Amino acid sequence: MLLFNNHISLKFVVLSVVLCVFFSHLIQQTDCQFSIVYSSGRAPGDGPRRFPFLRALFTQMITDRSSSEFAKHAKDDYQTSDSQKSRSETKANNPNLQSMENIMHDINTQNAGTLSTKTRGFFLVNILSRMLKSVNFTELSLQMRDGISSRASCLACNAVAGLLLSSIYSKEMMTVAVNTDDLDYIRTHTTLRRGEMCGVIFGMDCARRTTKNLNWTISLPEKQNMADRRADDSESDIVEADSEKLKAYTKVVQVTDLHVDPYYTPGMNADCGEPLCCRPADGVATSPEKAAGVWGDYRNCDTPIATLRHALKHISETHSNALYWMWTGDIAPHDIWNVSRHEVLSQIRLVTNLMKQYTRVPVYPVIGNHEGVPVNSFPPPEVKGENSISWLYNAVADEWDYWLPKDAIKTLRYGGYYTVKPRSGFRIVCINTNYCARLNPWSLYNPVDPANQLQWLSEELFKAETSGDKVHIIGHIPPDNRECTQAWLYNFLRIIDRFQDTVLAQYYGHTHRDEFRLLYSPHYPEMPINLAYIGPSITPFTENNPSYRLYYMDSEAYLVDHETYYFNLTEANRSKKGPKWVSEYRAMKTFNLSSMSPHSWHELVHKLETDDHLFQNYYKLYYRKSDVKIAQHCDQKCKKFILSDLTVLHPLKNKPKGFFGRRKLREH
C-alpha cells in the first residue's frame, strides 16, 4: 500500500507509482494496493485528504494487463494481502476508497464537447495512464523474467537504472515500490554503472559497452592426461531395460519444489482470483467446482501437508533400497507478499523434520529461490549486518547437519553450497544457483562470481578428476539462457566443458515441469557436453499432477534410465482411498533412447522438433498427464517456447542483435 504523509511532491508520488507497478509485475508481489493520504494542515478530526487524481492514475496503470501465466489466473492480483482480507471486507473497512468501477465510469463517460468538473479532473489521468500503458509494464517484466532484450526493454531498464542511481532516488520511494531495503544497500555499494546494470539483467545487448563486470572469466586448471569418457556405443547396452534388469542398478530419488502450504484447507475457494488460493482467508467455496480438494488442486494452490506426508511415506516404503535422496529446493508456499524470515525458517524446520521422520537414507538438500527473503534475494557472503544472508545459511546448516559432514556444513554456512561423497569413487556437488539468477537483485551489487562459487566448483571438480572420481551436480535453478546472467552461464559452460569426463549428470528443479536442459560446448556449439535433468514438482501449482523421479545408476555413476511417478489429483480427491501413485514412464523406453548420453538426448531434441506426435506425447508428460492439460494440443507457438528452453548455448552468441549499435566483445 502506498501511504504518504506531510509534504510530498507529485513527482515523488508518480515515480513511486511507476516503480511499484513495474516491480510488482516483475516479482509478482500483490502488496501494491494504492491509497494516498495527505494529512498536512488538517484538523485532527477532519480525517485524511485523498488524491482521486493519483488513485485513478494508479488504477488505470494496473488494469488491462496483458497475458501471462500469472495474470491469466489473477483477476485482481493487487488486492491487499497483508491481512488476506476479502474484497468485500476491504471495501467495508475502507469506505473512502473509491471503487474501480466508479473511476472507470468517470473516465469512460468523458465527452469532448462537454466535460464535467469531475471529468476534467480525470482528463490528465487518461493522458498519463495511456502514456504509461504504452510502455506495457507486463511485457517489459515478462521480458525481464525471460531474459529477452528488446528496444523497449533496454530503454526501460536504462530509465529505471538511471532513476535508481540518480539524486532523485530515495530509500522511501524504493521501499514503497518493492517493500525491501535490499535495493537501497545495492545502490550505495554497487560496483556497476547504469549501463552495466541492464547488461546484467538483459545481457550485453542492453549494455553500451563491454566491461570487466559483464565479460569476466575464472581460471580453469589444465586438463589432466587421463582416460577418455566411456564411448557412447558402450553406453548403449540398455536399449530396452525391463524392470528386472533395473533392479540390479543403484537407485536415487529426487523430490523437488514441495511448496508446502500449512494453511491449505480442503473446501476453501480454489478459484479466488489471487496468486495463491485454497486458504481460509479465501472463504468457503460457493460451488463444488470451486472447492479445494483434499489432496490438492490444479489451480493456484500449493501442497497440503497431508499430501507431502503421503508422498514421503510412499517413497520411503516403495524405494527403501535407494542409496540417497536429492531434495532440490523450494519449501515455502507462493504467498511471496507475506514472506518473512520467521515464516521461512518455520517452514524449513517443518519440512526438514518430516524428511527426517520418513527417510531412512541420506538426504542431500538444496536451497531454492523461495527460501530467500524477499524471494530471489541472495546477497553474497561479504555482505554483513541486516542485509546478510547468514540468517538462512546458518539455519539450514543447523537443520541439515543431520545428513551432511562437517566439511560440507562449513561451505554451506558460507555460500549455500557443498560437496559430499556417498560412496567410493563418486561425489555429489551441490551448487547454489540462486547466485546465477538474473532476478536475484544482488546480481546488481557485484555480478563477478558471487560467493566465489564457480572458482570453488572448478577446484572441487579438479580434485575429483585428480582422484579419478565421477561427479553429479545438484542445484535448484537450472543454469540456462533464460534464468542466468550471461557471464555466469558462460563460465559455468566452460567448467562443464572442461570437466565433461568427470561430471556425468546434473539435477535441478524450479520449473515445476518434467523437462531437461541439454548443455552445449561454448567452443563447439554443435557438441552436446552434459545433460541437466529437471525433476517434476511435488506441488501441483499450477496445472500439474504431484510427482517425483527415480534414477537408475550403474557402478561407475553413469545413469542408465530414469522413471517418473505421479498420482492423478482428480481421482485422488474423488476417492476415499486417497492418492494412487503409479509409474508414469521410463525415459529409455518412452523416448526410444540409445543411451542416457548427451548425444542421445541431442538426437531426441531434433526428433521433438520434427515429429509432432512424439512432441505432443512429451507435452503430456511435461504436466504429468494433468487432467487440465491432457486433451490440450500444444500449437506451434507453445512448441517453440518449450523447445527453445531445452538447449543451453553460448549465452553471448545466442542473443538478438545489439540495440545500441556497435559493440566489440573481447574474445574469451
Side-chain angles (χ1 to χ4, degrees):
M1 176 177 289
L2 305 186
L3 182 64
F4 301 110
N5 290 307
N6 303 323
H7 298 284
I8 57 171
S9 67
L10 178 63
K11 178 167 59 175
F12 176 89
V13 175
V14 172
L15 286 174
S16 298
V17 171
V18 171
L19 286 169
C20 190
V21 173
F22 180 80
F23 284 105
S24 293
H25 278 75
L26 173 63
I27 64 176
Q28 299 182 8
Q29 283 198 154
T30 59
D31 59 349
C32 206
Q33 178 73 18
F34 186 73
S35 177
I36 294 181
V37 179
Y38 180 76
S39 59
S40 179
R42 307 281 287 175
D46 289 347
R49 175 185 172 188
R50 301 187 178 269
F51 288 96
F53 166 84
L54 292 171
R55 186 167 63 247
L57 171 61
F58 181 81
T59 303
Q60 281 278 66
M61 288 169 61
I62 67 172
T63 54
D64 299 333
R65 294 171 62 182
S66 60
S67 62
S68 70
E69 187 168 312
F70 167 66
K72 175 182 176 182
H73 298 289
K75 298 177 182 177
D76 181 12
D77 57 357
Y78 287 90
Q79 191 70 21
T80 299
S81 303
D82 291 336
S83 59
Q84 295 186 330
K85 294 180 180 179
S86 66
R87 292 179 178 81
S88 59
E89 290 174 329
T90 302
K91 187 176 291 185
N93 294 335
N94 191 358
N96 293 320
L97 192 63
Q98 188 173 358
S99 70
M100 183 182 296
E101 291 80 3
N102 291 338
I103 293 173
M104 297 304 296
H105 175 75
D106 287 336
I107 294 172
N108 293 333
T109 55
Q110 292 182 18
N111 186 291
T114 58
L115 294 176
S116 67
T117 302
K118 191 173 185 179
T119 303
R120 286 193 187 98
F122 287 111
F123 180 74
L124 186 56
V125 170
N126 251 341
I127 301 299
L128 289 176
S129 65
R130 290 183 184 184
M131 290 173 61
L132 290 168
K133 278 185 179 180
S134 68
V135 176
N136 196 337
F137 287 95
T138 300
E139 184 64 25
L140 290 178
S141 60
L142 288 176
Q143 289 179 357
M144 188 171 181
R145 282 197 296 243
D146 293 343
I148 300 172
S149 59
S150 68
R151 181 185 181 94
S153 62
C154 290
L155 285 174
C157 178
N158 274 275
V160 173
L163 173 62
L164 177 66
L165 298 177
S166 72
S167 58
I168 198 175
Y169 167 91
S170 73
K171 181 178 179 179
E172 288 74 20
M173 179 191 298
M174 192 59 67
T175 300
V176 162
V178 294
N179 195 28
T180 178
D181 291 330
D182 286 359
L183 289 180
D184 184 61
Y185 185 97
I186 293 168
R187 173 187 179 271
T188 55
H189 295 81
T190 182
T191 61
L192 302 178
R193 297 181 178 180
R194 181 179 67 180
E196 291 179 316
M197 285 187 169
C198 298
V200 170
I201 296 173
F202 286 108
M204 282 196 283
D205 289 301
C206 275
R208 297 183 181 274
R209 63 180 180 274
T210 303
T211 67
K212 293 181 179 179
N213 284 325
L214 299 178
N215 193 24
W216 50 272
T217 56
I218 64 167
S219 61
L220 297 178
E222 293 184 3
K223 190 172 182 63
Q224 304 293 298
N225 185 21
M226 303 182 71
D228 292 333
R229 158 177 273 194
R230 186 164 59 175
D232 283 342
D233 57 355
S234 67
E235 287 184 298
S236 58
D237 56 346
I238 311 179
V239 177
E240 188 80 21
D242 58 29
S243 299
E244 290 301 317
K245 290 181 180 179
L246 288 175
K247 289 181 179 179
Y249 295 101
T250 300
K251 300 170 185 62
V252 175
V253 170
Q254 182 188 13
V255 293
T256 191
D257 294 88
L258 309 182
H259 290 289
V260 178
D261 187 358
Y263 303 106
Y264 184 100
T265 306
M268 296 298 107
N269 187 5
D271 190 20
C272 68
E274 303 289 350
L276 187 64
C277 302
C278 299
R279 292 175 155 195
D282 302 312
V284 178
T286 57
S287 65
E289 294 76 19
K290 293 184 177 183
V294 174
W295 300 100
D297 197 280
Y298 289 124
R299 287 162 288 195
N300 288 10
C301 303
D302 271 317
T303 310
I305 292 180
T307 301
L308 178 61
R309 285 184 177 275
H310 195 283
L312 297 179
K313 184 175 185 293
H314 162 81
I315 298 170
S316 181
E317 293 176 351
T318 307
H319 312 293
S320 58
N321 58 346
L323 181 63
Y324 58 85
W325 290 24
M326 299 178 291
W327 173 19
T328 49
D330 270 8
I331 298 171
H334 285 86
D335 58 339
I336 61 176
W337 63 94
N338 281 331
V339 69
S340 68
R341 292 181 180 183
H342 174 75
E343 192 79 10
V344 166
L345 294 179
S346 296
Q347 291 154 354
I348 289 173
R349 294 186 185 103
L350 166 67
V351 178
T352 300
N353 287 334
L354 288 175
M355 285 283 184
K356 293 174 182 177
Q357 178 181 344
Y358 287 102
T359 58
R360 299 293 180 268
V361 297
V363 176
Y364 301 124
V366 172
I367 298 173
N369 64 303
H370 277 259
E371 276 73 90
V373 178
V375 171
N376 297 320
S377 182
F378 289 84
E382 65 265 24
V383 175
K384 306 299 182 182
E386 293 182 359
N387 296 96
S388 172
I389 194 67
S390 60
W391 66 271
L392 175 62
Y393 294 168
N394 285 332
V396 296
D398 291 340
E399 292 293 326
W400 297 345
D401 67 357
Y402 181 80
W403 300 298
L404 303 179
K406 290 182 179 180
D407 288 346
I409 291 297
K410 183 178 179 180
T411 55
L412 179 61
R413 289 187 188 277
Y414 174 76
Y417 48 77
Y418 62 86
T419 300
V420 293
K421 197 168 183 177
R423 68 183 186 191
S424 177
F426 174 55
R427 307 185 188 199
I428 294 175
V429 177
C430 169
I431 60 175
N432 186 354
T433 49
N434 294 296
Y435 285 129
C436 101
R438 292 176 306 97
L439 296 186
N440 178 4
W442 291 92
S443 296
L444 301 179
Y445 167 74
N446 184 357
V448 180
D449 194 13
N452 301 312
Q453 179 176 214
L454 292 180
Q455 194 65 58
W456 170 85
L457 174 62
S458 173
E459 293 168 359
E460 288 298 310
L461 294 179
F462 184 69
K463 293 176 185 176
E465 180 185 70
T466 303
S467 301
D469 292 350
K470 299 304 182 183
V471 173
H472 290 189
I473 293 176
I474 62 176
H476 178 65
I477 298 174
D480 62 19
N481 296 98
R482 186 184 302 276
E483 295 284 354
C484 293
T485 59
Q486 287 184 338
W488 196 100
L489 179 61
Y490 173 69
N491 280 277
F492 183 75
L493 290 176
R494 288 178 61 231
I495 293 171
I496 300 302
D497 188 47
R498 162 64 181 81
F499 294 102
Q500 60 180 287
D501 296 334
T502 299
V503 179
L504 303 187
Q506 301 179 51
Y507 311 87
Y508 301 95
H510 185 61
T511 72
H512 296 198
R513 312 303 185 201
D514 184 342
E515 48 182 333
F516 61 90
R517 297 288 185 266
L518 186 59
L519 282 62
Y520 287 81
S521 169
H523 309 297
Y524 305 98
E526 295 299 319
M527 185 174 77
I529 55 174
N530 211 255
L531 192 73
Y533 299 94
I534 300 179
S537 64
I538 289 288
T539 183
F541 187 101
T542 58
E543 301 178 323
N544 300 305
N545 277 319
S547 186
Y548 69 91
R549 175 76 54 75
L550 187 69
Y551 297 91
Y552 297 90
M553 179 174 65
D554 70 11
S555 58
E556 298 179 55
Y558 287 88
L559 290 187
V560 296
D561 207 349
H562 74 59
E563 187 172 12
T564 300
Y565 289 79
Y566 81 106
F567 74 82
N568 182 281
L569 204 50
T570 305
E571 294 177 1
N573 286 331
R574 289 175 178 173
S575 172
K576 294 182 179 179
K577 297 181 179 180
K580 181 182 179 182
W581 294 91
V582 296
S583 172
E584 183 185 23
Y585 76 98
R586 293 206 313 267
M588 290 285 290
K589 180 178 181 180
T590 300
F591 299 131
N592 194 27
L593 299 171
S594 60
S595 70
M596 295 290 279
S597 68
H599 180 73
S600 295
W601 288 89
H602 170 79
E603 292 179 341
L604 174 62
V605 170
H606 285 290
K607 290 178 183 177
L608 290 172
E609 292 173 346
T610 57
D611 186 340
D612 191 62
H613 177 75
L614 177 64
F615 175 80
Q616 296 302 330
N617 185 44
Y618 173 82
Y619 181 67
K620 290 179 174 62
L621 301 177
Y622 189 73
Y623 291 96
R624 284 91 79 188
K625 299 179 180 178
S626 161
D627 285 351
V628 296
K629 290 290 186 179
I630 192 68
Q632 181 175 315
H633 181 84
C634 183
D635 61 19
Q636 198 61 32
K637 183 178 180 181
C638 161
K639 182 177 180 179
K640 182 179 179 180
F641 179 83
I642 292 176
L643 292 179
S644 67
D645 277 344
L646 299 185
T647 54
V648 182
L649 308 171
H650 190 315
L652 304 180
K653 296 181 179 179
N654 188 43
K655 303 296 289 182
K657 185 177 180 180
F659 165 66
F660 285 113
R662 296 180 181 177
R663 182 188 77 244
K664 292 183 179 180
L665 293 178
R666 294 197 302 270
E667 292 296 326
H668 295 282

